[in-house]
Amino acid sequence: KPGSTKLCGTNYPVSIAFIVVNEFCERFSYYGMKAVLTLYFIHYLHWDKNLSTAVYHAFSSLCYFTPLLGAVIADSWLGKFRTVIYLSIVYVIGHVVKSVGAIPDVGDSTVHVVLSMLGLVLIAFGTGGIKPCVAAFGGDQFDEEHTEERRKFFSIFYMSINAGSVLWKNGRNLVIPVDCILVFIAGSGLYKKSPPEGNVLVRVCKCIGFAIRNRWNNSKKSPKRSHWLDWAEEKYPKRLIQEIKMVFRVLVLYIPLPMFWALFDQQVKLGVCFCVVKMLNALLILVFIPIFDMGVYPLIGLCRIKLTIFDFCRFINTHTENINITVGTEEFYAAADYGISQNISVPRGEYNGVVCKTNSDQYLIDLGLLDFGAFYTVILSKESNGLTFKKMEDIQANNIHIAWQVPQYVFITAGEVMFSITGLEFSYSQAPASMKSVLQAGWLMTVAFGNVIVLIVAEGAGMEQWTEFLLFAGLLVAVSIIFSIMAYFYTYVDPDQLDKIFREDTDDEKVESSDGKKNEAVSLTDMPKQTKM
């Protein structure tokens, strides 16, 4: 029976192992591409910093708006399992198109831009559509009584996301999405697969529209009702109405949350440093999640992490032969006739004996100091006296040691752990069965709106960077106060109680009493309540 096989005698289904590995592979690929996306725009497509940052945030927004599309497909049409499979294929195609657009010999700069943008759009639809389905599908694997195990699953799920983020620099961004699909399919026989509930979004929209029209037309003639959605009772089942109420109450609670992500995503403006501190952020998450999950929520004490500062380097080969370059322990390959190597991070240091090998000869060059946080492009040329080079510093080295950012990232990461994992679990636990993916998408859309806020401020306000940081920080303090007040008045509900309250209801027919008696109105206040948020 699907879902009955447990891990090592625990209450964790074996199927979640495939889901966690699948998420790790997908995030590995995604972060491997996204971590250098701004640098790709600046140094390969030759866009300026403002345009590169704007497109980066537009891409991030699209990745978090498309979950709504994936959620509707999953809950209404294909089901979560098949939605993940099909959109993973779209995701792989996006990576292929994006990679082809980065090949120097394929067309001119216009072709590179078109292919890159098309690839990013496909990636956004793929990864965005997958996001809400995978998280909700993982939650579906647990039995109703195993709520504590399900809560911990979301912590493990978030750890897999950040494990993929940590290990992205080892490459294989094109192969990993294929692995992702294969791993997910391998667990097919173990999954609990809930069938789609029909066109949920259309029913919800029609129910809301009917309630608004009915209230507008009859509010003066009919008795007042406790909730505006109750005006849909003449046509739609009470169960559907209650489910929409549950979703709305949570979505209203999410209104202030985009400001958290608007401030969080200011990290991308750190340039090359972003790649380093993002890795630090992911490492800290892997450390913090078990600590927080074990119930230790006071301030984290001294966290000692060995920090290696990296620089980025690439080579352009104008020679007529392919060249393999060894910088320290890192290997670069630059194809002949203006081939460009990968951007690879190397530790700070003096590199005096860099080996450059062609098919016919071997050369030594002296790159000198590669300094903190800089980005270097080295142009290799063949002259009569051997191999010559020109080293260019595309992004200047940092004057302030990046280690000074470690304390800030400890607090940022602590906030992210409490915020993100709680949001994932809360979105699942408060959603009715027919709208699990939809509410997960609602949670993810807070990230999308956060990026939209950044785009509006960055493009419209024209502020200096430090004033933007202070503005977002101040706004986050304000909305945190607002959210705290809203959360205080929110009361948890148990969506599973709907099955007990509406025993014989269906989504296609109005509830009627066979003996002529009127059904009692049921509201969310009739359901068993838990503690305040």
Side-chain angles (χ1 to χ4, degrees):
K1 180 184 176 181
S4 60
T5 308
K6 307 297 182 181
L7 281 170
C8 303
T10 67
N11 291 323
Y12 292 93
V14 172
S15 55
I16 67 167
F18 294 92
I19 295 171
V20 169
V21 173
N22 165 79
E23 183 65 14
F24 166 81
C25 293
E26 190 272 327
R27 292 289 88 185
F28 181 105
S29 173
Y30 176 79
Y31 282 118
M33 178 275 300
K34 192 177 179 185
V36 293
L37 189 58
T38 305
L39 299 176
Y40 172 79
F41 291 152
I42 294 172
H43 297 288
Y44 188 79
L45 299 183
H46 305 295
W47 292 351
D48 61 44
K49 187 176 180 180
N50 289 336
L51 177 59
S52 300
T53 302
V55 175
Y56 177 93
H57 284 295
F59 169 69
S60 298
S61 296
L62 186 59
C63 287
Y64 287 94
F65 276 120
T66 51
L68 184 59
L69 175 63
V72 170
I73 293 173
D75 285 344
S76 304
W77 182 27
L78 294 176
K80 301 181 186 74
F81 177 76
R82 286 196 293 168
T83 300
V84 172
I85 298 296
Y86 295 155
L87 290 181
S88 292
I89 294 172
V90 174
Y91 181 65
V92 172
I93 294 171
H95 271 288
V96 172
V97 173
K98 174 72 176 61
S99 299
V100 172
I103 299 174
D105 295 334
V106 177
D108 56 13
S109 59
T110 302
V111 174
H112 294 160
V113 171
V114 170
L115 289 177
S116 296
M117 294 303 102
L118 176 60
L120 289 177
V121 169
L122 291 173
I123 290 171
F125 275 94
T127 190
I130 293 167
K131 281 176 186 292
C133 304
V134 174
F137 191 57
D140 289 347
Q141 305 308 305
F142 291 86
D143 296 330
E144 181 181 338
E145 65 271 17
H146 297 149
T147 55
E148 182 62 21
E149 287 81 3
R150 188 184 65 206
R151 185 188 66 79
K152 290 182 179 179
F153 160 75
F154 285 108
S155 296
I156 297 169
F157 183 81
Y158 202 70
M159 283 183 71
S160 71
I161 292 173
N162 287 276
S165 174
V166 168
L167 299 175
W168 66 264
K169 80 183 207 74
N170 290 326
R172 297 183 70 223
N173 289 359
L174 200 56
V175 179
I176 285 293
V178 179
D179 297 342
C180 166
I181 299 174
L182 296 177
V183 168
F184 190 70
I185 293 175
S188 177
L190 299 170
Y191 298 138
K192 288 182 180 178
K193 300 172 187 174
S194 302
E197 299 281 342
N199 203 329
V200 176
L201 185 63
V202 171
R203 283 200 318 242
V204 168
C205 292
K206 286 183 176 179
C207 180
I208 293 171
F210 180 81
I212 294 172
R213 290 194 305 272
N214 196 26
R215 182 184 183 186
W216 179 265
N217 296 330
N218 301 306
S219 58
K220 295 180 180 178
K221 308 172 188 176
S222 304
K224 186 177 179 181
R225 306 191 185 186
S226 60
H227 193 282
W228 63 271
L229 275 169
D230 292 336
W231 288 93
E233 287 182 350
E234 282 83 350
K235 185 175 180 181
Y236 291 93
K238 290 182 179 179
R239 174 167 185 154
L240 176 63
I241 294 170
Q242 296 306 321
E243 288 178 342
I244 298 173
K245 288 181 184 179
M246 292 167 67
V247 171
F248 267 18
R249 291 173 73 243
V250 177
L251 291 179
V252 168
L253 200 63
Y254 286 169
I255 290 174
L257 302 186
M259 193 54 63
F260 175 90
W261 298 113
L263 179 59
F264 186 84
D265 281 344
Q266 294 302 301
Q267 302 167 69
V268 72
K269 297 185 179 180
L270 296 172
V272 172
C273 298
F274 171 64
C275 298
V276 180
V277 295
K278 183 64 181 174
M279 185 177 294
L280 172 62
N281 172 240
L283 283 168
L284 285 172
I285 286 175
L286 295 179
V287 173
F288 279 7
I289 285 178
I291 295 174
F292 279 71
D293 208 43
M294 290 166 61
V296 184
Y297 268 84
L299 291 176
I300 305 300
L302 184 61
C303 183
R304 297 181 180 179
I305 295 179
K306 182 180 179 182
L307 182 66
T308 303
I309 307 303
F310 289 96
D311 326 297
F312 280 80
C313 185
R314 66 174 178 176
F315 292 84
I316 300 176
N317 177 19
T318 66
H319 193 9
T320 55
E321 294 184 76
N322 300 334
I323 301 179
N324 292 289
I325 307 107
T326 304
V327 181
T329 59
E330 299 294 340
E331 299 287 338
F332 295 77
Y333 171 78
D337 299 321
Y338 294 89
I340 302 174
S341 73
Q342 284 185 303
N343 301 320
I344 299 179
S345 59
V346 295
R348 179 187 186 275
E350 292 276 351
Y351 294 91
N352 301 319
V354 175
V355 179
C356 301
K357 291 182 181 180
T358 66
N359 293 331
S360 60
D361 213 337
Q362 177 172 310
Y363 307 93
L364 291 177
I365 60 174
D366 182 3
L367 290 181
L369 176 66
L370 300 183
D371 208 351
F372 289 121
F375 190 104
Y376 297 96
T377 296
V378 180
I379 301 175
L380 302 175
S381 304
K382 181 69 169 70
E383 302 290 346
S384 57
N385 59 343
L387 192 69
T388 63
F389 72 94
K390 180 180 180 181
K391 184 175 78 171
M392 297 184 296
E393 192 176 39
D394 301 324
I395 297 179
Q396 293 183 347
N398 297 326
N399 296 322
I400 300 175
H401 199 289
I402 199 172
W404 285 105
Q405 295 188 17
V406 172
Q408 295 95 307
Y409 267 83
V410 170
F411 285 101
I412 289 173
T413 304
E416 183 186 359
V417 168
M418 289 187 283
F419 189 81
S420 297
I421 298 173
T422 305
L424 282 172
E425 197 277 333
F426 177 77
S427 299
Y428 184 88
S429 67
Q430 296 299 285
S434 61
M435 301 184 195
K436 296 287 188 187
S437 297
V438 170
L439 204 49
Q440 287 286 330
W443 166 254
L444 293 169
M445 285 182 70
T446 63
V447 184
F449 283 111
N451 279 277
V452 169
I453 292 170
V454 174
L455 274 173
I456 293 171
V457 173
E459 295 300 313
M463 299 179 179
E464 293 185 36
Q465 186 168 300
W466 69 270
T467 56
E468 274 190 44
F469 288 173
L470 285 179
L471 171 65
F472 284 119
L475 289 173
L476 182 58
V477 171
V479 300
S480 295
I481 295 171
I482 295 171
F483 178 75
S484 298
I485 296 170
M486 294 171 66
Y488 178 80
F489 291 102
Y490 182 90
T491 305
Y492 280 96
V493 297
D494 183 0
D496 294 327
Q497 293 297 318
L498 287 173
D499 292 329
K500 300 173 183 177
I501 295 172
F502 301 100
R503 291 184 300 275
E504 301 296 333
D505 276 11
T506 66
D507 291 332
D508 301 312
E509 59 187 24
K510 184 176 176 288
V511 178
E512 294 179 353
S513 175
S514 59
D515 59 3
K517 295 182 179 179
K518 292 183 178 179
N519 285 326
E520 295 182 359
V522 183
S523 68
L524 289 175
T525 55
D526 298 322
M527 297 183 188
K529 296 181 181 178
Q530 300 176 23
T531 160
K532 298 272 188 183
M533 284 185 69

